[in-house]
Amino acid sequence: MALRVKALESLMVEKGLVDPAALDAIVDHFEHKVGPRNGARVVAKAWSDPAYKARLMEDATSAIAELGYAGGQGDHMVVVENTPTVHNLVVCTLCSCYPWPVLGLPPVWYKSAPYRSRAVIDPRGVIGEFGVKLPDEVEVRVWDSTAEIRYLVLPERPAGREGLSEDELAALVTRNGMIGTARL
Ligand code: FE
């Protein structure tokens, strides 16, 4: 696959369709300037500020933009909330749609065919392979991303963590927690 991508890129550069420096800048932007830390700040603010959480659940795109995170691959955001009885899992069965402004670039497994197919066929099994044993009474909801709508899981706030600042709370939030392949 890496060779095929390289061959495709070489061909497009040769034909003058893309500028390699521009490609490097885009990848660098999403690897280093954007990433799951943005999503973690959204989650920490929702945990700390009930009014913000209400706005986030009502209109995630605007509430996320309040923190400065917006743009391509995040134009139509929906936040789904984990509760003691509901666990949410995000996938893109068709390809690899992912909320770039809040999570950065998708991990390799998110784009893999086994994850994409099995997340809908056996979500509980897939989550189990990530090391999470969901109690039988917890309902699993799977959200299939599209070119339009991108999902962010709002994990449950870990218990016994009162009095932490937003920054300290954000440090508890993991990328997989916001995809739904981890519980915090
Ligand atoms: Fe996709």
Side-chain angles (χ1 to χ4, degrees), residues 30 34-43 52 56 60-61 63-65 67-74 77-79 98-105 150-153 173-175 178:
F30 282 99
V34 181
R37 298 337 299 159
N38 292 356
R41 286 206 51 225
V42 171
V43 168
Y52 181 77
L56 186 66
T61 313
I64 290 168
L67 300 189
Y69 312 134
Q73 317 295 322
M77 290 295 306
V78 171
V79 168
Y98 193 70
W100 292 18
V102 281
L103 291 186
L105 291 172
R150 308 297 165 92
Y151 298 93
L152 183 75
V153 175
V173 182
T174 62
R175 177 194 67 196
M178 294 180 281

Side-chain angles (χ1 to χ4, degrees), residues 92-98 145-147 150:
C92 174
T93 54
L94 195 63
C95 43
S96 57
C97 300
Y98 193 70
S145 313
T146 67
R150 308 297 165 92

Side-chain angles (χ1 to χ4, degrees), residues 65-125:
E66 284 178 37
L67 300 189
Y69 312 134
Q73 317 295 322
D75 298 314
H76 302 282
M77 290 295 306
V78 171
V79 168
V80 289
E81 183 184 11
N82 285 352
T83 69
T85 54
V86 173
H87 182 85
N88 295 284
L89 178 69
V90 179
V91 64
C92 174
T93 54
L94 195 63
C95 43
S96 57
C97 300
Y98 193 70
W100 292 18
V102 281
L103 291 186
L105 291 172
V108 171
W109 55 259
Y110 184 88
K111 300 183 272 188
S112 73
Y115 178 77
R116 284 160 35 209
S117 58
R118 291 191 51 234
V120 281
I121 298 167
D122 178 21
R124 214 173 267 278

Side-chain angles (χ1 to χ4, degrees), residues 5-183:
V5 169
K6 196 75 208 154
L8 193 60
E9 183 183 334
S10 303
L11 197 62
M12 290 174 84
V13 168
E14 207 173 283
K15 292 188 176 294
L17 296 172
V18 298
D19 172 1
L23 287 181
D24 289 346
I26 291 168
V27 171
D28 180 71
H29 177 76
F30 282 99
E31 273 185 355
H32 298 110
K33 301 198 178 92
V34 181
R37 298 337 299 159
N38 292 356
R41 286 206 51 225
V42 171
V43 168
K45 189 166 177 63
W47 284 344
S48 314
D49 178 348
Y52 181 77
K53 182 185 164 186
R55 294 199 296 282
L56 186 66
M57 301 313 295
E58 173 73 28
D59 179 353
T61 313
S62 309
I64 290 168
E66 284 178 37
L67 300 189
Y69 312 134
Q73 317 295 322
D75 298 314
H76 302 282
M77 290 295 306
V78 171
V79 168
V80 289
E81 183 184 11
N82 285 352
T83 69
T85 54
V86 173
H87 182 85
N88 295 284
L89 178 69
V90 179
V91 64
C92 174
T93 54
L94 195 63
C95 43
S96 57
C97 300
Y98 193 70
W100 292 18
V102 281
L103 291 186
L105 291 172
V108 171
W109 55 259
Y110 184 88
K111 300 183 272 188
S112 73
Y115 178 77
R116 284 160 35 209
S117 58
R118 291 191 51 234
V120 281
I121 298 167
D122 178 21
R124 214 173 267 278
V126 168
I127 292 166
E129 283 165 28
F130 278 89
V132 182
K133 175 82 184 86
L134 286 176
D136 290 341
E137 63 272 22
V138 174
E139 177 196 346
V140 180
R141 294 182 187 161
V142 180
W143 301 88
D144 193 0
S145 313
T146 67
E148 291 287 314
I149 299 178
R150 308 297 165 92
Y151 298 93
L152 183 75
V153 175
L154 176 59
E156 280 184 273
R157 181 179 169 147
R161 300 298 192 125
E162 315 313 319
L164 293 189
S165 69
E166 262 182 53
D167 283 349
E168 289 166 326
L169 286 170
L172 304 175
V173 182
T174 62
R175 177 194 67 196
N176 287 10
M178 294 180 281
I179 301 175
T181 50
R183 302 267 282 178

